[in-house]
């Protein structure tokens, strides 16, 4: 797979050209990245170390979602943090293509995982008597296999068409990362068809799945009318967290990709939100306020303290 372009590297303008602002960016986003990776990997360790949590489909999916958040953040944040220390920020052509592939791969997987989590909540609340037989371990593994395959197919479609573009002139990207629309502005060929492909393969799919998820959670919430007040409160707490994460993930993606290929001044801020802040907020929304997770965390901390005291 070759691309016949004269451009061998791209220059990223980043978030700011001011040295003082770039120092602030380095400190702030380094802290956010460490907290994001640390928080999400801690959730993975907590869930995988507890047989009770790992055996629950909801927490099984949560562990993979946290792993995906850590991976997705690692595709974008380290490069941006390192670039904030340099006046001239560059990325090779192959590095740019790799970043685009990885970004859309992990985002594609996450879309399907969020859909699987919505289905899990639907079965748990609307069909509680059949929950254990429907959401068995085999189905959970199958859904994860579908998620990884779907993310790979989605990303391959994007990258194969990106390799058909020719870059023969300007190589300055007014962004802190490589993405599809900024690259379209630099291409020497007609990008009308490719722009429609991006809208279809990313924007339309996001709108469709987001709509289906909202409908599914609406059905779940309507079914709670026949439950006890305690059952309603517990289900609302769980579904509220799920809906919050779904909105945080899909709304920025729809804004970026479900529109004609063009750049807006606030695109960088939107990109920061869904590439940097959302992976940080997900563990806070989903699990750190969860009683089961906090209980396992306390037990792990107690064991660590006991072992350290014995030494």
């Amino acid at each position: 797979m070759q691309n016949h372009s004269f451009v061998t590297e791209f220059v990223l303008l980043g978030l700011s050209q001011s040295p003082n602002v770039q120092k602030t960016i380095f400190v702030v986003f380094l802290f956010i990245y460490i907290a994001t990776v640390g928080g999400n990997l801690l959730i993975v360790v907590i869930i995988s170390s507890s047989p009770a949590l790992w055996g629950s489909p909801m927490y099984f999916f949560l562990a993979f979602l946290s792993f995906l958040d850590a991976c997705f953040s690692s595709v974008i944040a380290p490069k941006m943090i390192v670039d904030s220390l340099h006046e001239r920020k560059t990325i090779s052509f192959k590095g740019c293509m790799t970043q685009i592939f990885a970004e859309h791969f992990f985002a594609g997987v996450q879309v399907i995982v969020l859909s699987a989590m919505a289905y899990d909540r639907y079965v748990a609340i609307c069909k509680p008597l059949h929950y254990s037989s429907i959401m068995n371990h085999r189905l959970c593994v199958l859904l994860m296999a579908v998620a990884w395959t779907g993310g790979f197919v989605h990303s391959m479609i994007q990258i194969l068409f990106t390799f058909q573009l020719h870059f023969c002139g300007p190589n300055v990207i007014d962004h802190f990362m490589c993405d599809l629309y900024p690259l379209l502005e630099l291409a020497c060929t007609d990008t009308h068809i490719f722009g429609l492909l991006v809208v279809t393969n990313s924007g339309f799919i996001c709108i469709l799945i987001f709509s289906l998820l909202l409908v599914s959670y609406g059905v779940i919430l309507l079914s709670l009318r026949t439950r006890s007040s305690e059952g309603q409160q517990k289900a609302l707490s769980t579904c509220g967290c799920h809906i919050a994460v779904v909105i945080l993930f899909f709304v920025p993606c729809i804004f970026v990709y479900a529109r004609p290929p063009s750049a807006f001044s606030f695109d960088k801020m939107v990109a920061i939100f869904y590439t940097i802040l959302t992976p940080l907020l997900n563990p806070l929304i989903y699990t750190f306020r969860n009683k089961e997770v906090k209980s396992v965390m306390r037990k792990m901390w107690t064991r660590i303290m006991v072992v350290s005291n014995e030494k």
Side-chain angles (χ1 to χ4, degrees):
M1 185 167 57
Q2 294 183 343
N3 177 275
H4 303 288
S5 299
F6 299 105
V7 173
T8 58
E9 70 174 14
F10 296 100
V11 178
L12 301 172
L13 295 184
L15 294 175
S16 174
Q17 302 298 309
S18 169
N20 291 331
V21 174
Q22 290 191 80
K23 291 177 183 177
T24 304
I25 289 171
F26 173 79
V27 174
V28 171
F29 286 98
L30 178 61
F31 174 79
I32 291 175
Y33 176 65
I34 293 172
T36 299
V37 174
N40 281 290
L41 292 184
L42 177 62
I43 290 173
V44 174
V45 171
I46 289 171
I47 294 176
S48 59
S49 64
S50 171
L53 294 182
W54 186 251
S56 168
M58 183 178 76
Y59 293 106
F60 177 80
F61 292 132
L62 276 176
F64 277 98
L65 183 67
S66 296
F67 175 73
L68 289 170
D69 279 332
C71 293
F72 183 72
S73 180
S74 297
V75 171
I76 307 298
K79 171 66 177 170
M80 185 185 72
I81 292 168
V82 172
D83 281 347
S84 66
L85 298 175
H86 302 282
E87 183 178 349
R88 190 170 188 270
K89 310 166 183 61
T90 61
I91 185 170
S92 67
F93 183 87
K94 291 183 178 179
C96 185
M97 296 301 106
T98 301
Q99 191 176 67
I100 290 175
F101 176 83
E103 175 196 350
H104 285 269
F105 171 63
F106 289 120
V109 177
Q110 193 164 357
V111 165
I112 301 177
V113 171
L114 288 172
S115 302
M117 294 174 71
Y119 178 69
D120 170 69
R121 290 301 86 200
Y122 168 77
V123 176
I125 294 172
C126 298
K127 299 182 178 181
L129 298 179
H130 303 283
Y131 179 73
S132 58
S133 60
I134 295 175
M135 295 304 299
N136 54 61
H137 186 69
R138 181 180 178 182
L139 178 61
C140 293
V141 172
L142 178 62
L143 289 173
M144 287 308 307
V146 170
W148 288 103
T149 304
F152 180 79
V153 171
H154 164 73
S155 192
M156 281 301 298
I157 292 173
Q158 303 283 47
I159 206 69
L160 286 173
F161 277 88
T162 305
F163 264 91
Q164 305 306 312
L165 298 175
H166 296 274
F167 302 96
C168 53
N171 68 333
V172 178
I173 299 176
D174 188 12
H175 215 301
F176 59 85
M177 66 179 188
C178 278
D179 205 0
L180 298 171
Y181 282 165
L183 283 180
L184 288 181
E185 295 186 342
L186 303 181
C188 302
T189 53
D190 182 15
T191 60
H192 179 71
I193 300 299
F194 184 79
L196 292 176
L197 172 73
V198 174
V199 172
T200 303
N201 192 38
S202 294
F204 177 73
I205 291 177
C206 281
I207 292 175
L208 178 63
I209 295 179
F210 181 58
S211 301
L212 292 174
L213 288 175
L214 290 183
V215 170
S216 67
Y217 282 118
V219 172
I220 292 172
L221 294 176
L222 287 175
S223 68
L224 295 177
R225 291 179 299 179
T226 59
R227 300 294 181 88
S228 63
S229 58
E230 184 180 351
Q232 287 180 351
Q233 186 176 3
K234 185 176 180 180
L236 283 172
S237 177
T238 303
C239 290
C241 294
H242 286 229
I243 293 171
V245 170
V246 166
I247 291 174
L248 286 173
F249 180 85
F250 280 96
V251 171
C253 290
I254 291 172
F255 173 82
V256 171
Y257 296 111
R259 72 182 198 213
S262 57
F264 293 105
S265 58
F266 44 82
D267 279 354
K268 293 181 186 180
M269 295 301 104
V270 176
I272 286 176
F273 189 83
Y274 74 85
T275 60
I276 307 295
L277 296 181
T278 298
L280 172 67
L281 295 174
N282 280 356
L284 298 175
I285 294 172
Y286 259 130
T287 51
F288 285 143
R289 62 186 298 273
N290 184 285
K291 292 181 180 179
E292 288 82 0
V293 172
K294 289 192 288 187
S295 175
V296 175
M297 286 179 65
R298 283 193 291 268
K299 290 178 181 178
M300 286 183 62
W301 179 253
T302 301
R303 287 200 297 266
I304 292 171
M305 293 302 295
V306 169
V307 172
S308 62
N309 290 334
E310 289 177 353
K311 291 181 179 180

